[in-house]
Amino acid sequence: MAAPSEKLMKLLPLVRDYARSFNGMFVYSLREKNLSQLRTRRSKIGKTASEHHGPSKKSSSGNKLPLVFIPGLAVVKAASFGFGIKPATKESPPSDPAAAQTQTIIAEADRLYEDNDPIQLYNYLIQFKDIENDGILWRLARASCDKGKFLGKKDKKQRRVCVYEAFEYAKKALALNKENFACHKWYAILLDYTGEYEGTKQRISNAYTVKEHFLKAIELNPRDSTSMYSVGYWCYAFADLAWYQRNIAAALFASPPKSTYEEALEYFQKAEEVDPGFYSMNLVMLGRTYMHLGKPEPATHYLKQAMQYPVKTTDDEQAHREAEELLKKLGVKQ
């Protein structure tokens, strides 16, 4: 075989470098393709962060949580509705260039949420408020709401500011993706919260819309225990509405919102079946509703469970106080 020419020998290093470069580009391209397919599958499956307010032993989509009404009204009183990752969430897949960044942001937000530090979580997410992604925005809405609840212990004005800020994020998230159950849930929660500052009339006026979005959240994610709890509390509130509030409702609607304790109980029970022990206040409301129905034995059972629930959030503290008071009314010694 003839010896290779000098010119060919000079070209060999260039050929090797090109081959290495091409191989690297191919591997990179294949890896990116696989990641893209994985992200597509994940976006189809969907995921949430909750909703972990989310209310929660676990929890925004939303779950630490929630809803407690002022006497007679459907008031979302919650720490956070999100309760961890829920498989039924359909979050908008971000554009490819921003996909990795978006997934990193959401993963870090979920981690911080589990740490129960609302200020740190808010400070992290606020950096990304201009990113057009529903998954980021509903989490920011939840974080702002939780921040307001935390600061509201000492400054009620701060809570109001945070609630209205959170509502803006929730509206943007819902506009971006109406197929994400967490967006509907947080829109409903914050619509009710804003009504808290706009008076009883406005709050009752918002009632149908609030319930509509909670029901839509359940339709999109049939295992969303926090939205089930919220609808249950909505039903309880209107079953327990004071006479003067009924008059306001009658003046606002041709068919005022109505419900029964039996309907409320169905939602509380369903929430507990779907996610046992997910939220201390759901246990309290089961006990409270059974008391209204004249069934002290199951009422005592759930109230004792609420008393045994680990105290990790302000909602858990409230649940312990309410359960203790209700057990005293039932004549149960602690």
Side-chain angles (χ1 to χ4, degrees):
M1 178 181 293
S5 67
E6 183 178 349
K7 181 181 290 187
L8 180 58
M9 292 298 291
K10 290 181 178 180
L11 285 174
L12 282 175
L14 295 177
V15 172
R16 279 198 305 270
D17 290 343
Y18 178 80
R20 289 170 181 165
S21 174
F22 178 81
N23 183 59
M25 290 171 62
F26 176 77
V27 172
Y28 177 81
S29 176
L30 182 61
R31 183 181 65 181
E32 287 302 294
K33 180 179 179 181
N34 290 339
L35 286 173
S36 177
Q37 290 174 344
L38 179 59
R39 284 193 295 267
T40 299
R41 288 197 297 271
R42 283 179 176 173
S43 68
K44 288 180 180 179
I45 295 174
K47 75 177 194 177
T48 111
S50 87
E51 118 242 315
H52 145 287
H53 234 305
S56 157
K57 186 173 73 172
K58 315 171 183 180
S59 67
S60 139
S61 305
N63 292 258
K64 289 173 204 172
L65 192 83
L67 279 177
V68 170
F69 306 151
I70 57 178
L73 280 186
V75 179
V76 178
K77 146 200 163 186
S80 54
F81 269 98
F83 296 77
I85 308 298
K86 299 285 184 182
T89 306
K90 299 178 181 178
E91 292 180 350
S92 299
S95 59
D96 279 345
Q101 179 197 19
T102 301
Q103 293 303 323
T104 299
I105 293 169
I106 288 176
E108 178 63 9
D110 290 346
R111 186 190 69 78
L112 291 172
Y113 183 72
E114 293 297 327
D115 288 343
N116 294 316
D117 188 338
I119 304 301
Q120 185 180 6
L121 175 58
Y122 173 85
N123 289 341
Y124 173 72
L125 281 175
I126 195 62
Q127 306 172 78
F128 312 110
K129 64 183 178 65
D130 295 322
I131 294 180
E132 296 286 301
N133 180 273
D134 54 291
I136 291 175
L137 287 171
W138 77 252
R139 287 172 171 85
L140 180 55
R142 182 183 63 185
S144 181
C145 182
D146 287 350
K147 175 188 174 184
K149 186 173 183 180
F150 180 79
L151 297 178
K153 295 176 182 178
K154 296 182 178 179
D155 186 349
K156 293 183 179 180
K157 291 182 180 179
Q158 281 293 322
R159 180 181 182 276
R160 175 173 181 154
V161 170
C162 290
V163 162
Y164 278 94
E165 177 187 352
F167 191 38
E168 291 304 310
Y169 301 136
K171 287 190 286 187
K172 289 179 182 179
L174 185 61
L176 285 169
N177 188 359
K178 290 182 171 58
E179 296 303 307
N180 185 334
F181 83 89
C183 296
H184 285 279
K185 173 163 56 181
W186 278 97
Y187 180 88
I189 291 170
L190 289 160
L191 175 61
D192 187 62
Y193 269 162
T194 58
E196 179 181 341
Y197 296 106
E198 294 168 8
T200 300
K201 182 177 179 180
Q202 185 59 48
R203 193 163 214 172
I204 294 177
S205 181
N206 293 341
Y208 278 125
T209 304
V210 168
K211 185 180 182 182
E212 175 186 335
H213 283 280
F214 279 132
L215 290 175
K216 184 63 177 178
I218 295 171
E219 176 188 329
L220 292 169
N221 182 3
R223 298 190 63 80
D224 180 14
S225 55
T226 58
S227 288
M228 293 174 190
Y229 165 83
S230 300
V231 177
Y233 215 129
W234 189 99
C235 294
Y236 179 93
F238 281 100
D240 201 44
L241 210 61
W243 66 268
Y244 67 92
Q245 291 169 331
R246 292 186 188 280
N247 289 341
I248 294 175
L252 290 172
F253 302 102
S255 299
K258 294 180 180 179
S259 191
T260 64
Y261 294 120
E262 287 82 1
E263 185 178 10
L265 183 63
E266 288 180 13
Y267 280 102
F268 294 139
Q269 288 176 327
K270 182 62 176 176
E272 202 64 28
E273 290 171 9
V274 166
D275 196 358
F278 75 101
Y279 182 47
S280 55
M281 284 304 301
N282 193 62
L283 298 171
V284 171
M285 290 311 301
L286 279 164
R288 191 183 289 277
T289 307
Y290 272 119
M291 286 178 67
H292 276 288
L293 293 172
K295 298 181 178 181
E297 289 186 10
T300 300
H301 170 74
Y302 285 110
L303 292 172
K304 284 185 175 181
Q305 283 193 24
M307 288 296 295
Q308 296 167 1
Y309 199 94
V311 177
K312 296 181 179 179
T313 70
T314 54
D315 286 337
D316 298 333
E317 294 173 2
Q318 178 68 20
H320 273 233
R321 288 193 298 269
E322 291 189 21
E324 185 176 14
E325 292 173 3
L326 292 172
L327 285 169
K328 286 181 180 178
K329 290 182 179 180
L330 289 169
V332 178
K333 296 181 179 180
Q334 297 299 303

